[in-house]
Amino acid sequence: MKKIVSLLMILIFTISLVGCKDKGTSADASKGSDNVNSMVEDISKNSGLDNITSFKVNSKNQLVMAGVTQSNEKKLGIYDADGKLVKDIKIDFGEKLGLCTVDEKDNIYVLTEKSSKREITVFNASGDKTKTINLKNTSKNVEEDGMKEIALRGYMEVDDKGNFYILTFGKDNQSVEAIDKEGKNIKNLYTKCDFISNDDEGNLFVGTMEQGNGAKFYVERTNPLSGQRIWKNEYTSGSFMKTAVHKKGDKDFYGLNSDNISKYNVADGKFIEKVIDFKDYGLVDFNSRIRDIDINKNKDVYILITEFNKKDRSEKSQLVRCNLNNKNKNSEKVITLSLMYQIQDIDVAISKFRKIHPDIKIEVKNTITDINDPSSYEKYTKNVNTEIMSGKGSDIICMNGLPYHKYVDKKALVNLSDFISKDKDFNMKNYNEKIINAFKYKEGLYTIPTRYEFSALAVDKKILEENKINIDDKNRTWNNFMDYARKLTKDKNGDGKIDQYALPKMKGSEIMQFLFLNGNYNKFIDEDKKQAKFDSKEFIDILNLAKEVTTKGIMDTKGDGISTTTGGNIQFLHSDNVFLPTPIFSNVILGDKFNLLNLPSQGSSFTSNSTFSINKHSKYKDECWEFIKFLISEDIQAGDSASGIPINNAALERVQKEIIEMTKDRKPYNLTQDDVNIFNKFISNLSNGDNENSQVQEIVGTETDKFISGQQTAEQAAKIIQNKVSIMLNE
C-alpha cells in the first residue's frame, strides 16, 4: 500500500500547480510588503541576468557569473560585489551554458559542450582568454529524459597543480572525473556523488549517498588523487549538505543544507552551529530551491535561488546577499512550533509570514530529522506529550497523531472558537465548515485542520460490468463487499491459475486501517468517558474479516500493490492518495475508468494529520492565531507540494482550475471538469470525522498482524488492544 502512496504522490507532484504570488488573505499578505528583511539584498537585479546558472566569488570579492539574459542571450562576466558588470567575457558556449569556477589566483575556467565535444576555456583574472583545453577520453554529460536543460548541471573544481575535478549530472552519470591540465582523464572517482567542493588546501569535500535499508548520506574530506581520507561523516536526511564552502586559512567551513547554512569544523567535519535559517530570512517559497552558495572574505554569503516553472519547464534565478555575522535585530517575539516532519508548505508559510511580520520569528521544534530511525516517531510523540502535560511545550502544536482530547481535558489548549468569534477578518464561510466543526470537542474548537484526507475505493467500471456486479454505494457492508471480491477473483484463462484478483497486496494492519480506522473509530472509543470497546463481538468480527481478506485468495500476494491488472481491480485509496482530483494510476482517469466509492463503513469518513492548536501557556496567543490563519490562507493552501485537501474553499477551486489548464494537452493524463465534479460531489458528502490517534493505530495494527500470522487468536488480540488502549486513554 505504501507503494501506491508513493506512486500517487509522484503523480500529484508532477501535475500540481505552480506557486503563485501573494494576493492578500485573512492575514493580509500585502500589508508587510515593505518590511521584507533588510538584511537580504537582491544582487541579481543589477546584473541583467534573468537566470544565473553558475557563479563563484574570487579573492577580490568580485563575482564570476554565467547566465542568460531576458532576451535569452548567454553571458559570462565578472561583476562587482553588488552584481554590476565589470567585464563582459566573450565565449562560445555551444548548446548549453557551461560550468564556471576560479582558482586561488582568480583565473577563470569554463566547461562547455559543443556538438558532443567538451572543452575548458581559461581566462586570467581580468577576463582575457589564455588557452583552451580539449577534454580527451572523458565522459559526456547525459541529458535527463524530458528535462529542458539550458546548462550543464554539476560542479567543477581545479587544484593548485591545474588538475580538474568535474561532476556533471546525467541519467547514469554521477561519478567525478579527475582530468589533468592537458585535458586527459586521470581516473573516475566515487559513485553516486551529489557534490564536490574545493577546500582550498588541495583536498575536496565530497557528498555521496548510499542506498540500502534506507538512504544514507555522507560527506567526506579527502585527497582525490592519493585517495587519503581525512574524515568521513554520516548525516541524517534532514541535515545532509548540498554543497560546502571553505576559504583558505579558515578553521571552519559552511555547508548548504535544505533549509539553512550551517558552520562545521574543517578538522573533523563536526557541526558547530546554524548561521542562517532561510525561513527566518524570507527565502523559502513554492517551486524554488536554494541551488548554490559562495562566501567572500568579508563573510558576505551569496545565495543562488532557482524558481522552476512546471508549466513550460523553464527556470528563473535570483542571487541574494546577506552577512553571516549579522543577527536579526528586528526579532522581538519568538513563537515556537512543534512539528513532526519538515513540510514544505509550512516552511513557506513561516518564510512568508516573516516578511509580513518581521518582528515575529517562528522557530520549529522537535522535528524528526532522521526518517530512517524507526524509534524517532515514538520519541517525538513522547517528548511533545511530556511537554504539554507538564504545562510547558511549544506555543503552537501540530496535533498529528496526538490525543488532543486529553490535552483539552487537562486545560492545556486554547479554545480557538473565542478567536474566531472576535476576529472580524475571519469568515468561516471561506472554509469547509463541516470539516472544521468535526474537530470540535466539548462545544469548543481546540484544534483547527489546515488540510484533510479521506479514504475510498476505486473500482474498475468495465470489470464490474463484465461480471454483472452492481455495487450499491449507500447500502453496502463489508460482508457483501467480500462477496463482490470473491466474484472478481478468478481464473480468466482457464489454466487453473488465478489471473484476476480483487484486491492489491496489503498487510493485515493496512486492511485494518480501512475496516476499523475509517468511520469506526468513535464506535470503539468513547473519548469523553475514557472507555474502549475493543473486546466486543463486533470488533472481533472485524479482526476475523481482516484475516479473511488477507488469507482467502482474493488478494494478489505476489503483486506490487500498484498495478491495476495484477494488483487488484478494487483499489483502496487512503489518506492523502486522493487529496486532489488527479489521475489515480499511471494510465487511468478517475471519471473515465474508475468509480470512486465510499468504504463500507459507518458513513463517509475523513481525517486530518495537519491540525494546529495553541498552547494555553503561550505568551503570544494573538500572534499564534495570526500564524494559524496564515496557514489556511488561500495562497499557502493553493501552494505546491502539500498533501491533503485544502480547507480553504478558494484555494481548492484555484488548484482544480490550474491543474485542468496545465494538463489539457497531456492526454490521457489530463484532468477534466468531470473528474473535478466527481471529486467535489464525493467530498461534499463526507460526514464522519475521525479523530486519528497514532498510538491507537499502532496498537491495533501491531496486534492485527500478530493475529493474522497465527501468533494469537482474535479474542486474545482484542483483549490486548482493549487493555493497551484503555491504559492510554486514562494516562
Side-chain angles (χ1 to χ4, degrees), residues 462-676:
K462 183 179 179 180
I463 291 179
L464 289 181
E465 291 172 0
E466 289 175 352
N467 291 273
K468 298 180 179 179
I469 294 175
N470 180 28
I471 296 180
D472 184 351
D473 196 29
K474 294 182 179 179
N475 300 295
R476 180 163 38 89
T477 66
W478 280 110
N479 287 326
N480 57 37
F481 169 82
M482 291 297 294
D483 292 336
Y484 302 143
R486 293 186 192 98
K487 290 179 182 179
L488 291 173
T489 302
K490 60 172 60 178
D491 172 14
K492 293 179 65 177
N493 296 325
D495 57 3
K497 296 180 181 178
I498 296 176
D499 47 28
Q500 177 176 294
Y501 290 90
L503 301 173
K505 183 179 181 179
M506 285 183 286
K507 295 190 302 182
S509 54
E510 291 173 322
I511 290 290
M512 280 301 290
Q513 183 163 358
F514 298 99
L515 298 182
F516 159 62
L517 294 175
N518 290 286
N520 285 309
Y521 184 95
N522 297 328
K523 185 185 294 185
F524 298 105
I525 292 181
D526 189 326
E527 294 273 6
D528 290 337
K529 296 180 180 179
K530 305 280 187 287
Q531 292 178 355
K533 304 172 185 177
F534 291 103
D535 52 357
S536 63
K537 181 181 182 302
E538 188 174 5
F539 184 73
I540 292 172
D541 288 343
I542 290 179
L543 279 171
N544 286 317
L545 183 59
K547 186 170 185 176
E548 185 177 355
V549 170
T550 58
T551 60
K552 294 298 183 181
I554 60 176
M555 179 186 295
D556 183 8
T557 57
K558 295 181 181 179
D560 56 14
I562 298 176
S563 171
T564 57
T565 55
T566 62
N569 299 295
I570 300 176
Q571 295 284 352
F572 286 102
L573 306 178
H574 78 100
S575 295
D576 49 14
N577 291 11
V578 279
F579 86 91
L580 289 176
T582 62
I584 295 180
F585 303 106
S586 59
N587 63 343
V588 295
I589 298 296
L590 178 62
D592 181 28
K593 187 177 179 181
F594 277 78
N595 274 335
L596 187 62
L597 303 176
N598 289 313
L599 296 171
S601 57
Q602 190 180 24
S604 306
S605 63
F606 56 87
T607 60
S608 174
N609 62 4
S610 180
T611 65
F612 291 84
S613 302
I614 299 176
N615 194 325
K616 193 71 173 284
H617 299 282
S618 172
K619 295 188 297 183
Y620 305 117
K621 296 181 182 66
D622 291 335
E623 292 80 2
C624 291
W625 171 241
E626 286 299 317
F627 181 69
I628 289 177
K629 280 200 303 181
F630 193 67
L631 285 178
I632 57 177
S633 63
E634 180 182 341
D635 288 320
I636 297 301
Q637 291 265 290
D640 190 19
S641 86
S643 62
I645 307 165
I647 203 74
N648 186 296
N649 297 328
L652 178 58
E653 183 179 356
R654 188 165 118 188
V655 167
Q656 292 170 340
K657 287 181 178 179
E658 294 198 28
I659 297 179
I660 289 174
E661 176 63 25
M662 285 180 60
T663 62
K664 64 182 180 181
D665 298 323
R666 300 185 190 178
K667 296 180 180 180
Y669 305 106
N670 61 307
L671 185 79
T672 68
Q673 188 60 46
D674 287 341
D675 297 316
V676 170

Side-chain angles (χ1 to χ4, degrees), residues 50-56 66-67 97-100 141 144 147-157 167-170 194-197 240-245 254-261 278 283-285 287-294 301-309 313-320:
D50 195 51
N51 187 8
I52 299 167
T53 60
S54 184
F55 84 101
K56 285 288 183 179
L97 276 166
L99 297 174
C100 68
N141 178 62
E144 288 280 10
M147 289 298 293
K148 182 180 178 182
E149 292 285 359
I150 63 167
L152 295 174
R153 297 299 190 199
Y155 302 85
M156 179 171 65
E157 298 291 350
L167 169 64
T168 52
F169 297 119
D194 289 305
F195 78 84
I196 56 172
S197 180
F240 176 63
M241 278 177 254
K242 296 181 178 180
T243 192
V245 178
Y254 297 89
L256 168 64
N257 300 314
S258 60
D259 64 350
N260 69 82
I261 298 173
F278 296 136
L283 298 177
V284 182
D285 207 341
N287 301 307
S288 70
R289 66 187 180 96
I290 310 295
R291 184 180 286 273
D292 202 3
I293 61 170
D294 205 353
V301 57
Y302 292 87
I303 304 169
L304 182 63
I305 307 169
T306 299
E307 182 180 353
F308 181 61
N309 187 323
R313 305 186 72 76
S314 65
E315 290 183 350
K316 187 175 182 179
S317 62
Q318 180 185 28
L319 188 68
V320 300

Side-chain angles (χ1 to χ4, degrees), residues 532-537 539-541 543 699-700 703-704 707 712-727:
K533 304 172 185 177
F534 291 103
D535 52 357
S536 63
K537 181 181 182 302
F539 184 73
I540 292 172
D541 288 343
L543 279 171
I699 292 168
V700 173
E703 300 308 322
T704 298
F707 158 59
Q712 58 194 17
T713 66
E715 289 74 15
Q716 288 171 330
K719 186 175 181 179
I720 293 171
I721 294 171
Q722 172 71 15
N723 291 338
K724 289 184 175 181
V725 174
S726 296
I727 292 171

